[in-house]
Amino acid sequence: QGTRVVAVGPAADFKIPDDVEVLDAGSGTILPGIINSHVHVREAGTRRILFLLDGVTSVCDMMIPMRRMHYLDEEGIQSGPAARGFKAGPIITAPGSYPGIVYGTHFSYEIQGDDEAETAVHDLHALGADYIKVALEPGIFGDPWPVLNLGELRSVVTTAHSNDLLVRAHVNNAVLDIALEGGVDVIEHVPMPSFAQENLEPMFDDAGVFRIPSDLEAQMLRMVDQGIVLVPTLDVIIDDSYQGEEFASENDGVNHAVLAVVRFFHDAGGIIAVGNDYGNPGVKPGMPLREMNLLQSTGLSPMEVIEAATRHAAYVCGQSDELGTLE
């Protein structure tokens, strides 16, 4: 009725009005639109059209300057139908830290103190943020970067939740405890003890199986207990040369370790949402099939992959009341 699904069930249970159009799916399957919950489109229109043409009905941008947030609104599309766009806006972060130190300060909302944390959330909410993203990145190039403290993070989370917004955290394992204590709702990327091959080598047993450090296991189990969703973004993390079980490249130790962590989280009952970090080199617009295939390789069933790309992706984008399920 209009743009809403008002009933789902066997046709025999319903009287179909005479004046409606009937679409017969034949032997096909009707399912909610696929959602890519972690992208960087950064501009209006064109790329979102490419997503829709390949069957992705919504994309959720994770880092865009305040002045461009309106580009993700429906009126930002001038050239025809395109995937819906949802957004976080700039990432709330500590002064002089990620993402500004890498991509430019226009992608950051730098705060210091609990009051500024609260103000940041109110500002982003007023500009139409669909969820809040925070950076908990202590540095990836050797020199340590500042990180939000626990009080600031809790202020962000409390203010966001009071405005019905989820908090999604870019996290490095070194500060995963802060994310858990702070009460974030979603972890972006795969928290790892290291992404350096030489640092991971001692964690493989004689059979070549990666043994997850006990502290990381405990953190992942706590994520499960707290209902925190993981958006692994495997497409951008796993090397393109990865060939499955065989170690075919010098980076495959990292590949196997990352997949082992996701497999552990899934086997423990963790909730996973599909997002492939589109916008990075090599990650293509359209259906995130590589992300889906990599998730399946960690133990998700095909139906769990579909659920990760619909129900769970809608949830982390703040849209579970409107999208992601047929009901």
Side-chain angles (χ1 to χ4, degrees):
Q1 186 173 51
T3 62
R4 304 290 299 177
V5 174
V6 295
V8 178
D13 293 347
F14 298 95
K15 183 181 185 307
I16 307 298
D18 295 332
D19 59 345
V20 300
E21 180 183 8
V22 175
L23 304 176
D24 189 345
S27 59
T29 299
I30 298 172
L31 76 164
I34 298 298
I35 299 170
N36 190 335
S37 73
H38 189 126
V39 303
H40 300 279
V41 289
R42 298 199 180 111
E43 63 182 49
T46 306
R47 297 175 189 176
R48 285 161 59 193
I49 293 171
L50 296 176
F51 277 101
L52 185 62
L53 289 173
D54 211 23
V56 177
T57 59
S58 300
V59 296
C60 304
D61 191 276
M62 297 303 294
M63 183 177 72
I64 194 167
M66 292 179 75
R67 67 179 184 275
R68 293 190 176 184
M69 288 176 69
H70 66 282
Y71 285 3
L72 275 296
D73 297 333
E74 291 303 311
E75 55 267 25
I77 299 295
Q78 304 295 329
S79 50
R84 300 178 190 88
F86 304 108
K87 71 276 188 186
I91 300 175
I92 296 177
T93 188
S97 189
Y98 181 89
I101 197 169
V102 177
Y103 299 107
T105 55
H106 52 297
F107 289 111
S108 295
Y109 194 129
E110 296 184 350
I111 63 102
Q112 197 163 24
D114 299 358
D115 291 343
E116 289 188 6
E118 182 177 345
T119 298
V121 175
H122 285 308
D123 286 349
L124 295 173
H125 183 234
L127 288 169
D130 298 290
Y131 37 86
I132 299 296
K133 186 178 180 184
V134 297
L136 299 173
E137 175 58 72
I140 53 179
F141 301 125
D143 295 329
W145 299 339
V147 177
L148 297 175
N149 64 42
L150 182 56
E152 291 165 342
L153 179 58
R154 282 179 171 165
S155 182
V156 168
V157 171
T158 299
T159 309
H161 287 177
S162 69
N163 287 281
D164 295 323
L165 298 174
L166 298 182
V167 178
R168 304 177 61 173
H170 171 109
V171 168
N172 178 294
N173 183 43
V175 290
L176 184 53
D177 275 337
I178 296 177
L180 298 175
E181 288 292 334
V184 304
D185 305 288
V186 188
I187 297 295
E188 307 295 324
H189 315 302
V190 181
M192 293 290 294
S194 174
F195 282 97
Q197 179 86 11
E198 61 272 18
N199 294 337
L200 294 176
E201 284 177 358
M203 303 176 196
F204 284 85
D205 63 18
D206 293 340
V209 176
F210 181 71
R211 299 300 181 187
I212 303 172
S214 58
D215 59 338
L216 179 55
E217 281 196 357
Q219 290 170 326
M220 301 296 279
L221 291 174
R222 187 174 173 188
M223 283 179 61
V224 175
D225 288 342
Q226 292 181 206
I228 297 173
V229 182
L230 178 66
V231 182
T233 67
L234 293 174
D235 194 356
V236 78
I237 297 174
I238 300 298
D239 191 274
D240 286 341
S241 63
Y242 176 70
Q243 298 296 318
E245 294 304 316
E246 298 299 323
F247 281 69
S249 79
E250 62 181 17
N251 293 322
D252 264 0
V254 176
N255 296 333
H256 279 264
V258 168
L259 294 174
V261 171
V262 177
R263 184 177 296 110
F264 176 85
F265 181 73
H266 168 259
D267 291 348
I271 302 170
I272 292 173
V274 166
N276 68 353
D277 215 351
Y278 167 77
N280 281 281
V283 182
K284 300 175 181 177
M287 188 63 65
L289 286 176
R290 186 167 186 262
E291 185 74 22
M292 293 173 166
N293 286 328
L294 288 167
L295 288 174
Q296 190 173 355
S297 76
T298 69
L300 275 71
S301 69
M303 184 56 73
E304 286 177 318
V305 173
I306 291 172
E307 191 173 20
T310 53
R311 179 196 299 271
H312 300 326
Y315 168 75
V316 300
C317 297
Q319 304 302 315
S320 56
D321 288 344
E322 297 290 328
L323 304 174
T325 54
L326 294 175
E327 56 181 281

